[in-house]
Amino acid sequence: MNMTHLVPTSIPWMEPFVAAGVFGPTEIHLAATLATADPGAAREVLLGAALVARAPQHGSACVEIETVRHTVVSTLTEPYDQGTDDSDQGYPAVHGSAGYHDGSGDQRLDDDPDYLPIDGTSTAIAVEDLDWPEPQSWADKLAASSLVHVVGGEATPELQPLVLDGSRLYLARHWHLERYVAADLAGRARAGLRESASDSTADVTRASIAKLFELDSVPTGSRPDPDQVAAAAAVADSGLVVIAGGPGTGKTTTVAHLLAGLMWARDGAAVNSNGPDDATPDDSLRSPGERIALVAPTGKAAARMTEAIRHAVGTLADHLPVPVVAQLQSLEAVTVHRLLGRRGAGFMHGPDNPLPHDLVIVDEVSMVSLSLMAHLLAAIPTQAKVVLVGDPYQLASVEAGTVLGDVVGMRGSPDGEAAPPAVLTSSVRSLSTVHRQKDGSAILELAAAIRAGRADDVIALLNAADGVELRWIDTDSAAGTAGPAPAHHRQHLENLVEAVRATATNAVHAATTGDVDAALAAIGSVKLLCALRRGPDGVDHWNRAIEDHLRHTNTIRRGDWYAGRPTMVTENDYLNRVFNGDVGVALPATTDVVDGPDAAAYRVVFARSDSTLEVPAIRLDRVTTQWAMSIHKSQGSEFPHAVVILPPPPTRILTRELLYTGVTRAKDRLTVVAGEAALRAAVDRPVARASGLADRLTRLDPRHP
């Protein structure tokens, strides 16, 4: 798509940047507007403005002047995306017919709306060949511009759209958001420490939490995880608690004990009681729903948070007063947007209308953007406690910011070991012991090697895989283009395809006969997790290939709807109580109809923690088939057998966080379908997002405001 004709004559020097895929219409318009507002604006200033306008689209809150020329990437189609045939990648004929073509020449990067195909008239220019300013000269021109506010420089009365803070250039809005988040988090951490010293209930809260962990561990004969105990008890001493940990480290368990301990401590006699019947809650207190808010960034994450907390509380029921259990079980998580009350372009709750809660617990914080975190913190009263929960090594928000990673201190830590800023040291609690998988798990070792960026160890672990818990299918070898045993890998790939086909067939048969449990188990037993949406390695291809096989064997007929269809919701639907990312299975609406493309003939059943939810298919207008799904969409989920599928390089979607997120979705078995070059490219490339939050937090004195 050639957009150079959109470049106005006032900024002709932008044409090469547009041709290289660096800038689009939004950046062109901003630069032209600023050039009109300040005819004397230097090229370096307008270039910086265009880059900071572009930055949020790629997850960055700012631009690093010294390194941007080495980190900015083109949005034009990359070499890999020119492929058009599955045979190029060595895949077997999973579609069941020769000469199958899925239109892979027009694919887009998953969850990347700014990924533009090249048309036949454009002339691509390499990003590194563009005329980039020398960093010091660039910074000097920015500092001298009336469009730029220089932090630490002389104040000006004019409203300036850009802010230069050291070597980082911001849009003024993101600079203010970043400063606000840093000051708010630091203030809550400091205030909590000051108040806990004189708070007589802190000791009671810590003791209640510790006792619950001890009581809960008695049936297994094990000792409580000291990191979990310390993380939960930290809520007694701080206005801010950050619970960071990977899958299976017990984040939900910790939060459940934290909640239960807090509420039990309010009974007054909790620690001295001999059992749940000795203590009764104070009925004069506000209900937990008024005091406690459970929130998550997406509807799917909120629903899973609710179910996980209720399940965890259920394991503590024998140790708590019955009314406390009932109150905890009544808590229901909502999205951050719903908690704040969306109102036009803003929110109902904010500094002038704060939330009524005493405690706000936010799950899946890795997916919370800088802007959303600022709005949330602004709405939470300063005296309320805030608990942030998440895995900082997962994929970050699709919007600007890396809040959780910055808070736990991942920036500047190439070995994967986080070191939180001093001002938050007492607030950040990391969980490292995995309780979900057994010691020595190959999946855990692989995840640790990916997280630490050890590409050689990743390849060694995959080569040594036993094929039971962990298997590597080297697509380069499967295609016969590399590796010592092409036939070996190709056979494993064909076996995988047959297993996926068999699983799909079983799901259809179970759904056709009305066996809900078997159908739900089948669609969730093996899940294909793809980096891309389109192309021979993508979600669309695999979904279509599986359905083509089912039709080729007369298992299903034509049409989107059929019994056994794994149905994923793509937008929050509060009326039907399903959320973006929820997956159910389609079953016949009546015993008289077993097949047919009409949605009215089907119902979709969704699994819930202790029951199922049934919705007529005709009421679900935002759904898609989900034999395969993107790794981005899989966040917060786990599967008995996860199959991670990566495209060959070069493609900018291959990152360490993407691979880690896919690998850690596996509960019992993991299959990695990728060439060695793709794996090394992913492990060696952490997401490059520009943010000053970590540095800002580091500079704050932990002792003083």
Side-chain angles (χ1 to χ4, degrees), residues 38 56 59 65 82 115 117 147 152 164 200 254 280 292 318 404 433 505 544 577 604 685:
D38 182 4
I65 294 298
Q82 300 300 317
Y115 195 64
L147 297 173
L164 183 64
S200 60
T254 303
T280 57
I292 300 170
D318 292 340
L404 183 60
T433 302
T505 302
R544 190 181 301 113
R577 293 182 295 146
V604 181
R685 187 178 180 226

Side-chain angles (χ1 to χ4, degrees), residues 159-170:
L159 180 63
Q160 295 162 295
L162 306 177
V163 176
L164 183 64
D165 191 342
S167 63
R168 297 186 180 96
L169 183 67
Y170 293 81

Side-chain angles (χ1 to χ4, degrees), residues 1 77 80-85 101-109 115-118 533-536 540:
M1 182 181 296
T77 302
Y80 161 71
D81 295 297
Q82 300 300 317
T84 59
D85 196 322
H101 177 256
D102 70 351
S104 58
D106 188 35
Q107 59 264 44
R108 295 159 61 92
L109 283 180
Y115 195 64
L116 304 173
I118 301 175
R533 187 167 68 248
R534 299 183 185 177
D540 291 351

Side-chain angles (χ1 to χ4, degrees), residues 52 61 147-149 159-164 169-179 370:
V52 293
L147 297 173
V148 181
H149 167 65
L159 180 63
Q160 295 162 295
L162 306 177
V163 176
L164 183 64
L169 183 67
Y170 293 81
L171 287 175
R173 174 176 179 269
H174 287 100
W175 181 71
H176 286 293
L177 288 173
E178 193 175 272
R179 292 176 68 231
L370 174 68

Side-chain angles (χ1 to χ4, degrees), residues 8-20:
T9 56
S10 60
I11 48 172
W13 55 268
M14 283 193 72
E15 284 193 13
F17 287 86
V18 173

Side-chain angles (χ1 to χ4, degrees), residues 544-630:
R544 190 181 301 113
I546 293 168
E547 289 187 330
D548 281 354
H549 168 74
L550 294 174
R551 294 188 180 102
H552 185 72
T553 57
N554 295 317
T555 306
I556 64 173
R557 297 192 301 183
R558 292 287 172 185
D560 290 337
W561 286 99
Y562 52 87
R565 179 194 185 190
T567 308
M568 183 171 71
V569 178
T570 58
E571 288 186 14
N572 291 341
D573 183 348
Y574 292 101
L575 181 63
N576 289 309
R577 293 182 295 146
V578 293
F579 306 97
N580 187 3
D582 274 354
V583 179
V585 64
L587 283 87
T590 68
T591 56
D592 298 329
V593 180
V594 296
D595 197 8
D598 186 1
Y602 299 94
R603 56 197 168 104
V604 181
V605 180
F606 299 87
R608 293 296 185 252
S609 58
D610 54 358
S611 62
T612 57
L613 172 66
E614 184 177 307
V615 182
I618 199 169
R619 293 175 59 180
L620 299 172
D621 61 344
R622 294 291 186 270
V623 295
T624 189
T625 301
Q626 194 239 39
W627 295 111
M629 68 188 303
S630 73

